[in-house]
Amino acid sequence: MTPLPLFRLLQSQGFGSRKACREQVLAGRVTVDGRPCLDPDAAFSGPGRLLGVDGQTWVWRDKAYLMLHKPAGYECSRQTRHHPSVFSLLPLPLVNRSIQPVGRLDQDSTGLLLLSDDGAFVHHYTSPRRHVAKTYRVTCKHPIDDGLAGRLLAGVQLHDDPVPVAALACQRLDEHRLELVIAEGRYHQVKRMVAAAGNRVEALHRYRVGNLDLPAELGPGQWRWLEKADLDALAGGG
Ligand code: URA
C-alpha cells in the first residue's frame, strides 16, 4: 500500500472528516506505533500500523469485519423507529465507517450479528443464492408436538411464496425449544415458518452462521473484530 498522510489514514478508519482528523493530530491526540506524531501530513502505510487516538489503540484495518452479540430490544438499521440501534453499541469510529449488518435480526431476536464495510462480503453472505446456514435456538410458546420438526424439515408454505420453505436441519431440544437451521434469510423467516407449522416463536437466538459460533465469552451488547480464523469458519460453512 502506498503511504498516506496521517490525517488520511485516520479518516479511512472512521475518525472523522479530513479537517477533524488534521485537528486531532495537531492537538497532539494521535500516536503512531506508540510515538506521538504532530504532523498530519507525515506519510505512513496502513498495514500493521497501530494508531493511538486519545489513548486508545486501533490496529489499522483496510476493511472492518466484526461480530456483535445483539441483545433484545435493538433494531438493526441506522435510522430506527421504536428502539435503539445496534450501531449505538459500537464505538464511533466504527459507526463512521459505512458498516452494515450481514443479514438482520428482528428487534426482539438475540445473538450473532455480523457487520462489515466490505460490500462484496456483505453481498456474498446475504445473497439467497449462497445458502449460508444460520442456526437458531427457537423457544416456542406451545409445547412442541412430535410432528413439528418433521413439518419444518418437509417444508412449509409462507404466504408470499408459492414454493414451500424447508429447514436444513431441525431438532427438538426439550418441551419448548428447537434447534433450527435455515439457508435463506427472508423477512421474519423463522417466526413465519414456525407459525406455518402450527406453533409460535416466543424467543429467537442465532448462535451460528456458517461454521462460525457466537463465542461464549462475548456477552449481550459486546462486539469484537472477526479474525482470520473466524472468516475461515464462516467461509467453510457456505
Ligand atoms: N427469522 C426471524 O423470524 N427473525 C429473525 O430475527 C431471524 C430469522
Side-chain angles (χ1 to χ4, degrees):
M1 174 190 167
T2 339
L4 286 178
L6 179 53
F7 79 91
R8 276 206 180 283
L9 219 50
L10 289 169
Q11 193 187 3
S12 74
Q13 303 299 289
F15 286 97
S17 63
R18 292 165 63 128
K19 184 164 176 278
C21 290
R22 292 190 81 90
E23 283 170 3
Q24 289 172 62
V25 179
L26 290 168
R29 292 164 53 192
V30 176
T31 58
V32 179
D33 298 333
R35 282 183 293 279
C37 181
L38 290 164
D39 179 2
D41 294 304
F44 298 95
S45 58
R49 197 67 64 194
L50 298 180
L51 297 170
V53 180
D54 295 331
Q56 198 181 352
T57 301
W58 293 79
V59 178
W60 179 90
R61 292 179 193 252
D62 183 23
K63 296 285 179 204
Y65 305 93
L66 51 133
M67 63 162 82
L68 171 72
H69 184 161
K70 181 194 172 295
Y74 286 78
E75 292 180 28
C76 283
S77 39
R78 281 181 182 258
Q79 306 292 329
T80 59
R81 292 218 212 147
H82 305 293
H83 300 274
S85 164
V86 291
F87 289 91
S88 68
L89 299 166
L90 301 172
L92 201 55
L94 275 178
V95 179
N96 287 342
R97 292 177 79 139
S98 351
I99 52 169
Q100 46 179 322
V102 183
R104 295 178 176 214
L105 286 172
D106 296 336
Q107 169 275 124
D108 52 354
S109 301
T110 59
L112 181 58
L113 182 69
L114 308 177
L115 298 113
S116 178
D117 61 358
D118 179 345
F121 174 85
V122 175
H123 177 74
H124 184 91
Y125 284 102
T126 46
S127 161
R129 280 202 294 272
R130 288 291 306 172
H131 283 236
V132 178
K134 278 134 317 232
T135 307
Y136 294 88
R137 192 177 57 238
V138 186
T139 307
C140 295
K141 179 177 168 102
H142 309 294
I144 294 168
D145 65 68
D146 288 342
L148 184 70
R151 293 196 291 281
L152 290 166
L153 284 167
V156 289
Q157 198 91 37
L158 302 180
H159 286 314
D160 58 356
D161 202 331
V163 184
V165 188
L168 285 181
C170 185
Q171 198 189 345
R172 185 180 184 273
L173 300 174
D174 58 33
E175 197 187 5
H176 281 273
R177 292 186 314 154
L178 288 174
E179 181 189 82
L180 180 70
V181 187
I182 57 169
E184 312 83 356
R186 296 185 199 176
Y187 182 65
H188 292 332
Q189 184 171 335
V190 173
K191 289 175 183 166
R192 292 193 298 146
M193 284 178 74
V194 170
N199 207 314
R200 192 190 154 122
V201 172
E202 285 262 285
L204 192 55
H205 180 74
R206 181 162 71 195
Y207 61 93
R208 187 177 301 140
V209 176
N211 289 335
L212 177 64
D213 282 338
L214 179 67
E217 66 277 10
L218 199 70
Q222 293 184 322
W223 72 276
R224 76 158 169 77
W225 297 106
L226 291 179
E227 303 300 348
K228 185 171 180 312
D230 301 316
L231 295 168
D232 289 347
L234 199 56

